[in-house]
């Protein structure tokens, strides 16, 4: 699917604080992700630090207990369908 | 002309450029190619409208006739506007909008950098804030022109067309006249002609990276700062000024 | 509401005996106000219902940019222009947060956009009405945002983490939206006779559609019980609608405007306003696509999407060509 990838955005709003996850957005590359993050999540305020990470690059731990409440097997953060590479031969999924 | 008259005139030029360009960009909101860009364009528009309010407000102060920024924005006819022809051109497609923006931002950034050193404290103050904003605008417009120029065949074609079509409006940005001479002598503003060479060099670098050709035509369109505008400004103002003209005594 | 009549997937609400162990554990978390996060196990019907609800909410924000965006180029002062532009920008931002929240559940923005543009996905009925005067911008901020806030504040506590966090962000930004609308109305009712008449006319046209925003009475909706149990719907439609009327009528009184409802009357016994019957035919007509602006709204969004395709494609092509390049931009051309 020819779609812009999803990025997770982390903002340090003041000196001394750690970056905090504020949400996601779409962008085609890193420069655009940073600029978009500035426009979407800081609305032009100066002096903030922005980290942008492709959502597919995030490796996550499995939620807490091994029991009926966790999705086994993969380490991606979301269920996003385009995270999973379906071979073209399989067709639309 | 007196230094104050020249300064008022100059401030109106600055303010009108920001106002008209900000207005044009605001037309995109709700219609941009991608949602993130609706927000990005709105930010640039908001910055420019803010700058317009400051420049026009200062012009009103200097003029000393009890007018304000709103009066300048909503009660002058097209012949009294001093913006460059470039900024009143219609948005066209996204490539046109970005070409217009790049041409403007490349000029705006060094201009504002100069004005930060103005002997007039009011001008220097406004310019300092505007300069920071303009640098960000230039990052955006430069990035877009490069991406679209070096994107697909279609985007390349559209971007080149836009660069070509708007080229003839760029010369006006560097015109010098008596107003600027008086202000340069007072240390209030710098001559825009002095930034023409570096503007052209930087533009050349960006277009090269964008795999686009720098237009070569020498003839340029003029008239904006003398109030001789293109046909577009009349329509723009008719829309923008309607309420204040239809209800002249109303407060909103 | 921005997400009206969301069809809850699945059958009737299960009793604990009817649930599997997984379902019981899931419900226990919700009952204990422990948030459900994207990779937690969830019933498929919960996931589907949330996708529908969150995306409908997002679509409403995006389409909602159009009736107000209409007046940015005609705003009567520089201050009003900037405020309206900032508000419409916020709405775009809200749509963006919500699309991203929905994406955590396994749907893409492109899929959601296509569903909207082909008419499959709905958006709030209110945005199918035209903004005909500047007073409409005041009325929309005052009434429509007022109604939206009523729904959004409780949703900050909803069970799904990403949705709840998106709503917290939305609510923080929403505070000025209703105030700016009311401020516009105040300026108009204090103004000329023409302005006062404009304000009254706007209230006359926006009042009933605003009441319809809350959706039909809950007894006509079979599935809201499940959504309530899952804590993705917090209050009933009628509750919110009554709260809205009770809050807004005194505001109209303050403005010196009359609410266009001859049956409106303070009920001392119940401590609420009684109000007249809503024309649900109008509501369903609009939902079906036959409201005043349905076509124009979808046409505008379709145009933006299609005319923007070459831009989106270009950015992807550029990114692919320069995948190896580190993010750099020659500072030379900014300084």
């Amino acid at each position: 699917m020819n779609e812009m990838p999803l990025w997770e955005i982390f903002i340090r709003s003041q000196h001394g604080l750690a970056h905090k996850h504020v949400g996601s957005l779409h962008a085609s590359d890193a420069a655009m992700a940073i600029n978009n993050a500035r426009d979407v999540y800081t609305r032009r305020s100066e002096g903030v630090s922005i980290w942008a990470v492709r959502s597919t690059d995030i490796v996550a731990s499995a939620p807490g207990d091994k029991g009926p409440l966790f999705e086994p097997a993969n380490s991606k953060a979301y269920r996003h369908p385009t995270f999973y590479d379906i071979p073209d031969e399989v067709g639309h999924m | 002309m007196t230094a104050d008259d020249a300064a008022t005139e100059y401030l109106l030029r600055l303010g009108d450029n920001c106002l008209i360009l900000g207005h044009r960009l605001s037309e995109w909101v709700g219609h941009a190619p991608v949602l993130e860009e609706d927000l990005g364009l709105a930010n640039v528009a908001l910055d420019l409208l803010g700058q317009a309010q400051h420049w026009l407000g200062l012009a009103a102060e200097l003029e000393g006739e009890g007018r304000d920024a709103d009066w300048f924005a909503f009660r002058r006819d097209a012949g009294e506007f001093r913006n460059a022809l470039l900024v009143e051109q219609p948005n066209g497609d996204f490539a046109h909008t970005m070409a217009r923006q790049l041409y403007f931002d490349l000029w705006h950034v060094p201009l504002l950098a100069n004005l930060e050193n103005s002997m007039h404290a009011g001008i220097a103050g406004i310019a300092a804030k505007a300069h920071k904003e303009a640098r960000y605008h230039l990052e955006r417009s430069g990035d877009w022109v490069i991406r679209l120029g070096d994107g697909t065949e279609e985007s390349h074609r559209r971007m080149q067309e836009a660069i070509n079509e708007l080229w003839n409006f760029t010369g006006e940005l560097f015109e010098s006249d008596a107003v600027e001479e008086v202000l340069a002598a007072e240390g209030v503003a710098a001559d825009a002609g002095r930034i023409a060479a570096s503007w052209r060099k930087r533009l050349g670098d960006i277009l090269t990276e964008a795999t686009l050709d720098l237009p070569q035509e020498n003839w340029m369109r003029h008239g904006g700062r003398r109030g001789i505008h293109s046909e577009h400004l009349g329509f723009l103002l008719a829309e923008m000024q309607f309420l204040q003209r239809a209800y002249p005594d109303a407060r909103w | 509401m921005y997400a009206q009549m969301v069809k809850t997937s699945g059958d009737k609400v299960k009793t604990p005996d009817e649930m599997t162990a997984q379902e019981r554990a899931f419900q226990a978390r919700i009952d204990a106000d422990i948030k459900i996060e994207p990779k937690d196990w969830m019933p498929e019907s919960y996931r589907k219902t949330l996708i529908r609800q969150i995306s409908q909410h997002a679509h409403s924000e995006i389409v909602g940019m159009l009736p107000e965006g209409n007046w940015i180029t005609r705003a009567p002062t520089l201050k009003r222009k900037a405020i309206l532009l900032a508000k419409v920008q916020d709405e775009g931002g809200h749509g963006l947060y919500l699309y991203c929240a929905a994406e955590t559940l396994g749907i893409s923005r492109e899929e959601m956009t296509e569903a909207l543009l082909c008419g499959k996905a709905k958006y709030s009925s209110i945005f199918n009405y035209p903004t005909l005067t500047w007073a409409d911008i005041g009325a929309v901020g005052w009434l429509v945002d007022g109604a939206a806030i009523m729904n959004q504040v409780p949703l900050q506590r909803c069970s799904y983490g990403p949705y709840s966090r998106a709503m917290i962000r939305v609510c923080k930004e929403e505070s000025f939206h209703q105030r700016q609308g009311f401020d516009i109305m105040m300026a108009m009712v204090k103004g000329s006779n023409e302005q006062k008449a404009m304000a009254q006319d706007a209230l006359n046209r926006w009042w009933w559609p605003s009441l319809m925003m809350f959706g039909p009475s809950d007894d006509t909706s079979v599935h809201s019980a499940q959504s309530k149990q899952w804590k993705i719907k917090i209050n009933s439609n009628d509750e919110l609608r009554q709260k809205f009327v009770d809050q807004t009528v005194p505001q109209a009184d303050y403005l010196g405007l009359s609410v266009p409802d001859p049956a409106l009357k303070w009920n001392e016994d119940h401590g609420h306003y009684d109000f007249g019957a809503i024309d649900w035919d109008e509501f369903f007509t609009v939902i079906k696509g036959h409201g005043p602006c349905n076509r124009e709204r979808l046409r505008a969004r379709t145009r933006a999407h299609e005319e923007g395709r070459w831009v989106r494609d270009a950015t992807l092509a550029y990114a692919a060509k320069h995948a190896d390049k580190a993010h750099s931009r020659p500072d030379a051309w900014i300084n």
Side-chain angles (χ1 to χ4, degrees):
Chain A
M1 184 172 276
N2 209 25
E3 215 190 301
M4 294 210 217
L6 195 63
W7 298 71
E8 300 307 314
I9 306 299
F10 304 80
I11 309 261
R12 187 205 332 272
S13 55
Q14 281 179 61
H15 290 296
L17 298 181
H19 284 78
K20 201 174 117 165
H21 181 235
V22 293
S24 8
L25 50 78
H26 285 265
S28 55
D29 60 39
M32 192 192 273
I34 296 281
N35 281 352
N36 284 351
R38 202 188 144 170
D39 284 322
V40 174
Y41 288 108
T42 76
R43 300 296 168 83
R44 305 167 294 146
S45 40
E46 293 295 326
V48 300
S49 168
I50 299 173
W51 287 351
V53 185
R54 273 180 210 266
S55 306
T56 47
D57 285 341
I58 296 199
V59 179
S61 61
D65 4 347
K66 289 192 190 316
L69 288 175
F70 88 106
E71 278 258 328
N74 67 62
S75 62
K76 292 303 172 193
Y78 298 151
R79 301 164 175 261
H80 196 296
T82 61
F83 283 16
Y84 310 104
D85 289 317
I86 310 289
D88 287 330
E89 308 92 74
V90 176
H92 185 72
M93 187 177 285
Chain B
M1 84 181 55
T2 68
D4 266 3
D5 285 343
T8 306
E9 178 66 27
Y10 188 72
L11 288 165
L12 287 176
R13 290 175 188 176
L14 292 176
D16 286 349
N17 278 331
C18 292
L19 173 62
I20 300 301
L21 185 54
H23 179 94
R24 276 295 189 219
L25 289 176
S26 77
E27 292 172 5
W28 271 107
V29 179
H31 309 282
V34 62
L35 188 48
E36 282 79 355
E37 195 56 21
D38 281 293
L39 274 69
L41 288 166
N43 273 341
V44 180
L46 281 166
D47 283 347
L48 290 171
L49 287 175
Q51 291 172 25
Q53 282 179 280
H54 284 124
W55 293 129
L56 297 177
L58 188 55
E61 245 181 76
L62 274 184
E63 188 199 48
E65 286 182 30
R67 304 207 265 235
D68 62 7
D70 273 358
W71 189 92
F72 284 119
F74 293 96
R75 300 303 178 113
R76 287 179 300 158
D77 203 343
E80 296 162 87
F81 272 75
R82 275 84 148 174
N83 56 283
L85 297 177
L86 175 68
V87 298
E88 71 197 43
Q89 300 311 305
N91 287 333
D93 68 5
F94 193 70
H96 275 76
T97 292
M98 282 307 141
R100 182 185 63 199
Q101 198 63 41
L102 177 63
Y103 285 154
F104 182 83
D105 292 337
L106 270 173
W107 166 84
H108 210 209
V109 169
L111 183 89
L112 291 168
N114 283 340
L115 290 176
E116 272 191 82
N117 300 319
S118 172
M119 292 298 293
H120 189 296
I123 291 179
I126 297 172
K129 178 162 187 275
H131 183 219
K132 276 203 196 98
E133 294 172 348
R135 286 164 56 101
Y136 181 59
H137 301 170
L138 178 55
E139 265 185 49
R140 280 181 32 94
S141 52
D143 277 354
W144 271 114
V145 170
I146 290 170
R147 271 195 208 103
L148 298 178
D150 191 16
T152 59
E153 254 182 67
E154 177 175 7
S155 71
H156 179 91
R157 174 184 56 81
R158 285 177 183 256
M159 201 61 241
Q160 186 67 69
E161 260 170 42
I163 290 288
N164 294 347
E165 274 176 35
L166 292 170
W167 174 250
N168 308 109
F169 294 108
T170 59
E172 189 181 14
L173 297 172
F174 306 100
E175 281 176 356
S176 207
D177 66 0
V179 169
E180 291 196 4
E181 277 166 35
V182 168
L183 294 177
E186 300 282 320
V188 167
D191 185 339
R194 290 166 57 192
I195 58 182
S198 64
W199 179 92
R200 213 176 159 119
K201 162 113 192 9
R202 286 169 194 186
L203 177 66
D205 291 341
I206 293 173
L207 293 183
T208 300
E209 193 176 342
T211 74
L212 295 165
D213 299 321
L214 180 68
Q216 295 303 317
E217 283 178 327
N218 284 324
W219 68 273
M220 292 291 169
R221 292 182 57 173
H222 316 270
R225 57 176 55 180
R226 287 174 286 128
I228 319 250
H229 289 276
S230 68
E231 291 176 350
H232 300 295
L233 187 62
F235 288 102
L236 186 158
L237 293 178
E239 193 171 317
M240 191 178 89
Q241 298 182 340
F242 167 74
L243 277 176
Q244 284 222 17
R245 302 297 198 148
Y247 305 96
D249 302 318
R251 297 179 65 83
W252 304 94
Chain C
M1 210 29 59
Y2 280 16
Q4 293 161 322
M5 298 183 352
V6 174
K7 192 162 175 293
T8 309
S9 289
D11 304 312
K12 61 174 181 55
V13 182
K14 291 187 183 164
T15 65
D17 295 329
E18 291 166 328
M19 290 182 192
T20 65
Q22 256 181 340
E23 286 168 334
R24 270 198 296 275
F26 171 78
Q27 188 59 51
R29 282 181 71 144
I30 293 185
D31 294 338
D33 282 326
I34 297 173
K35 297 288 179 215
I36 308 297
E37 297 294 346
K39 292 306 291 292
D40 293 332
W41 184 89
M42 58 183 76
E44 186 58 13
S45 44
Y46 176 85
R47 191 182 72 85
K48 285 212 166 93
T49 305
L50 264 179
I51 286 180
R52 212 174 279 137
Q53 181 171 328
I54 299 174
S55 63
Q56 197 176 308
H57 192 161
H59 295 323
S60 297
E61 298 280 358
I62 301 309
V63 177
M65 293 169 78
L66 296 172
E68 287 177 289
N70 231 349
W71 278 87
I72 293 171
T73 52
R74 289 176 291 172
T77 68
L78 293 176
K79 184 168 158 219
R80 294 289 186 203
K81 195 181 184 81
I83 290 174
L84 182 58
L85 180 49
K87 177 178 195 278
V88 175
Q89 181 194 44
D90 273 356
E91 275 148 28
H94 296 173
L96 196 153
Y97 307 152
L98 290 163
Y99 281 133
C100 290
E103 284 189 271
T104 64
L105 289 163
I107 186 170
S108 71
R109 193 189 292 180
E110 183 74 26
E111 283 173 289
M112 289 186 276
T113 303
E114 277 167 21
L116 170 68
L117 299 181
C118 79
K120 226 174 82 183
K122 300 279 171 227
Y123 56 89
S124 184
S125 54
I126 193 71
F127 300 118
N128 292 310
Y129 290 86
T131 44
L132 299 175
T133 73
W134 178 249
D136 285 32
I137 299 303
V140 167
W142 170 38
L143 301 175
V144 176
D145 284 277
I149 286 170
M150 282 201 163
N151 189 54
Q152 281 161 194
V153 166
L155 277 177
Q156 293 179 112
R157 301 187 315 261
C158 78
S159 59
Y160 187 58
Y163 191 20
S164 135
R165 290 189 289 275
M167 292 318 302
I168 290 171
R169 219 186 165 89
V170 166
C171 287
K172 249 197 223 127
E173 294 174 356
E174 195 76 44
S175 53
F176 97 89
H177 292 185
Q178 191 188 16
R179 271 187 273 129
Q180 69 90 42
F182 194 71
D183 195 62
I184 289 175
M185 297 305 275
M186 280 205 295
M188 299 197 66
V189 300
K190 288 192 195 144
S192 67
N193 288 335
E194 284 164 315
Q195 285 177 295
K196 278 190 216 125
M198 213 187 275
Q200 181 63 62
D201 169 67
L203 175 56
N204 291 346
R205 282 181 289 102
W206 286 91
W207 176 255
W208 290 104
S210 298
L211 294 195
M212 290 177 206
M213 270 178 81
F214 297 93
S217 179
D218 283 320
D219 12 301
T220 63
S221 157
V222 187
H223 299 293
S224 63
Q226 178 67 85
S227 287
K228 278 208 179 152
Q229 191 183 74
W230 282 336
K231 292 190 185 170
I232 59 180
K233 182 180 168 73
I234 315 289
N235 305 99
S236 80
N237 296 349
D238 289 329
E239 266 181 300
L240 290 175
R241 185 173 13 248
Q242 183 66 64
K243 203 167 155 209
F244 175 77
V245 174
D246 291 341
Q247 174 183 287
T248 311
V249 172
Q251 292 168 350
D253 290 340
Y254 178 85
L255 291 172
L257 297 174
S258 64
V259 172
D261 180 359
L264 185 70
K265 206 162 127 215
W266 176 252
N267 184 322
E268 191 57 54
D269 297 332
H270 296 153
H272 291 296
Y273 279 95
D274 290 335
F275 53 92
I278 291 171
D279 180 1
W280 290 111
D281 279 343
E282 177 181 329
F283 174 75
F284 285 108
T285 301
V286 173
I287 290 284
K288 221 180 297 203
H290 303 310
C293 297
N294 300 59
R295 277 202 197 151
E296 286 87 338
R297 302 295 181 234
L298 274 190
R299 197 172 291 152
R301 290 309 307 157
T302 301
R303 232 186 110 189
H305 191 68
E306 302 202 329
E307 289 182 6
R309 181 163 289 122
W310 68 267
V311 177
R312 300 190 296 275
D313 287 349
T315 63
L316 288 170
Y318 179 85
K321 280 191 226 180
H322 298 274
D324 303 329
K325 197 165 110 176
H327 165 215
S328 74
R329 183 188 300 104
D331 280 334
W333 50 265
I334 301 182
N335 295 305

